[in-house]
Amino acid sequence: MSDALSRRRFLKGCGGMAAAAAATGFAGSGFAADKAMTLKAVVQHRNGESYKKWLWLQDQVAARSQGRLAIEITTIGELGLGGPEMLRVLKSGVIDMAEVLPGYVASDFPLIEACDLPGISTSFEQSRQLYDVWTENVVAKNEVVIGGRIVGSFCWSTMFMYTKFPLETLEDFKGKKIRVFAPAQARFLTELGAEPLSMTTADVYPSLQRGVIDGAITGTEHVKASSLWEVTKYMTNVNIPPMGSYIVMGSRSLAKIPADLRSIFTDVSKELTDLGWQLGRDNDTLGFEYALEKGMVLTREAKPEWVPRLTKISAENIVPWWAGRSGPKAKAAFNEFIAPIVGYTLS
């Protein structure tokens, strides 16, 4: 079966057709007296250190529920999904839990993307600070839009620019075709004179290999996981923040869990989040080591002379654009929660 056909059938099931849901193997959670209730979780991939948080969560849920709950994991690739449809799929109740990437679902919920906007953060620590305050005060209060409850946030890794060409100055972006995976990244690259092309992680390597693109934005774990060292030479920080994401429990699924077990997902939240961000930092460390081992040219921090321009693009172009598409509450929320951290406000 082709990915396109699989995706159409899966999404048809999300519209409420039980037969289609059953065909995907995600026909809702069942509970029998003699076995655990199994929660179906969908993750992006099993690459890198970040996946370890799911193994930890599986163990915690089984232990804390005394074997009454279990988590079964599959990937979006195995279901023929792409990621942008994840909030809709969660709302349908066809799956129980999922990794939700803000850049992927920003079309359905633009507010969620604030902390991942290019140029908004200049360090890993600042990104975690942004995520914590934005999650608590904005994202977690939009359960109806998300289709579920935030179980925790996590970080994949710092986003780097992988290129075949050296980045001596920001002018070197002009005319280059660069892979992006979020609308804000596309806007950021356009401001730098590049031509952004959106594509999945799986398409990055062959596109670089064939010369379809000159570079790509992705995380440090993909130096090894996607063998980017074979098709790019340069790995450069251009102040695209460490990419955070969320683990979300669907509202329909949460309602099916026995009432005395629902608090498990609140109780593990802080520890899961801490672990998720530490694993992102571990991905960075391992990615840097592997890149250097393979002879890549690594620029670990954005060059100081670049930072004013990158921040200006974010403050004057990216953030106002995001606020405009995020609705009337965006500006006030940004100024209250994010501005004190990044040092500027939206007028």
Side-chain angles (χ1 to χ4, degrees):
M1 181 185 297
S2 70
D3 284 350
L5 179 57
S6 176
R7 185 179 296 109
R8 286 197 297 271
R9 288 186 178 178
F10 187 83
L11 292 178
K12 189 176 182 181
C14 295
M17 296 184 67
T24 65
F26 276 75
S29 301
F31 180 72
D34 60 345
K35 65 178 182 179
M37 177 180 185
T38 299
L39 302 172
K40 311 293 187 177
V42 179
V43 305
Q44 292 293 312
H45 54 68
R46 295 184 175 93
N47 299 330
E49 297 299 290
S50 186
Y51 183 68
K52 292 178 180 178
K53 68 185 179 295
W54 281 103
L55 304 179
W56 179 87
L57 186 59
Q58 280 182 316
D59 289 344
Q60 289 293 314
V61 168
R64 292 175 186 237
S65 69
Q66 297 183 323
R68 293 166 62 194
L69 293 178
I71 298 176
E72 180 181 304
I73 300 169
T74 191
T75 68
I76 61 170
E78 290 165 341
L79 292 177
L81 298 175
E85 67 276 73
M86 199 54 66
L87 298 187
R88 284 165 271 154
V89 175
L90 273 169
K91 288 178 184 179
S92 74
V94 176
I95 63 173
D96 301 310
M97 304 178 71
E99 290 179 342
V100 173
L101 280 64
Y104 282 14
V105 302
S107 294
D108 290 339
F109 182 33
L111 275 173
I112 199 173
E113 195 181 12
C115 303
D116 285 345
L117 297 175
I120 199 169
S121 170
T122 57
S123 70
F124 192 99
E125 293 76 16
Q126 190 180 59
S127 286
R128 171 67 193 273
Q129 189 179 4
L130 289 170
Y131 252 87
D132 284 350
V133 70
W134 195 247
T135 300
E136 178 182 356
N137 294 287
V138 178
V139 179
K141 294 183 178 180
N142 279 273
E143 288 188 11
V144 173
V145 181
I146 297 171
R149 180 174 300 175
I150 301 294
V151 180
S153 73
F154 64 95
C155 174
W156 296 98
S157 60
T158 300
M159 295 293 103
F160 272 72
M161 185 68 61
Y162 297 83
T163 58
K164 296 180 175 182
F165 58 93
L167 271 172
E168 301 296 340
T169 73
L170 294 177
E171 302 304 312
D172 293 327
F173 275 115
K174 288 187 176 179
K176 298 297 193 299
K177 295 180 180 179
I178 307 292
R179 176 260 183 169
V180 300
F181 57 84
Q185 294 172 2
R187 195 173 184 94
F188 191 66
L189 267 294
T190 298
E191 283 294 305
L192 292 170
E195 180 182 341
L197 296 176
S198 180
M199 64 179 64
T200 66
T201 301
D203 291 328
V204 171
Y205 184 98
S207 296
L208 285 163
Q209 189 178 46
R210 297 195 306 267
V212 175
I213 54 177
D214 304 297
I217 297 171
T218 195
T220 53
E221 70 270 29
H222 290 288
V223 177
K224 183 174 185 179
S226 298
S227 300
L228 291 184
W229 62 273
E230 295 180 348
V231 288
T232 59
K233 175 71 173 177
Y234 302 91
M235 180 178 172
T236 309
N237 190 325
V238 291
N239 276 2
I240 296 175
M243 188 176 73
S245 291
Y246 295 100
I247 293 176
V248 180
M249 167 72 74
S251 296
R252 290 189 180 187
S253 300
L254 186 62
K256 295 177 184 178
I257 295 173
D260 64 313
L261 300 181
R262 293 173 196 165
S263 63
I264 290 173
F265 298 95
T266 302
D267 295 342
V268 301
S269 182
K270 175 63 165 59
E271 196 172 352
L272 176 63
T273 297
D274 287 344
L275 175 62
W277 281 84
Q278 181 57 53
L279 291 172
R281 188 182 290 278
D282 292 345
N283 268 331
D284 280 355
T285 299
L286 294 172
F288 296 153
E289 291 175 354
Y290 197 75
L292 293 173
E293 177 186 327
K294 293 298 183 179
M296 296 187 75
V297 178
L298 171 63
T299 303
R300 195 170 304 198
E301 303 293 338
K303 294 181 180 181
E305 63 268 27
W306 293 356
V307 173
R309 184 179 176 193
L310 296 174
T311 301
K312 183 177 181 180
I313 291 173
S314 182
E316 296 183 1
N317 185 306
I318 306 299
V319 175
W321 165 81
W322 161 82
R325 66 196 289 266
S326 297
K329 297 181 180 179
K331 183 168 72 173
F334 180 93
N335 287 342
E336 181 176 358
F337 302 116
I338 293 182
I341 299 173
V342 300
Y344 60 83
T345 60
L346 277 173
S347 57

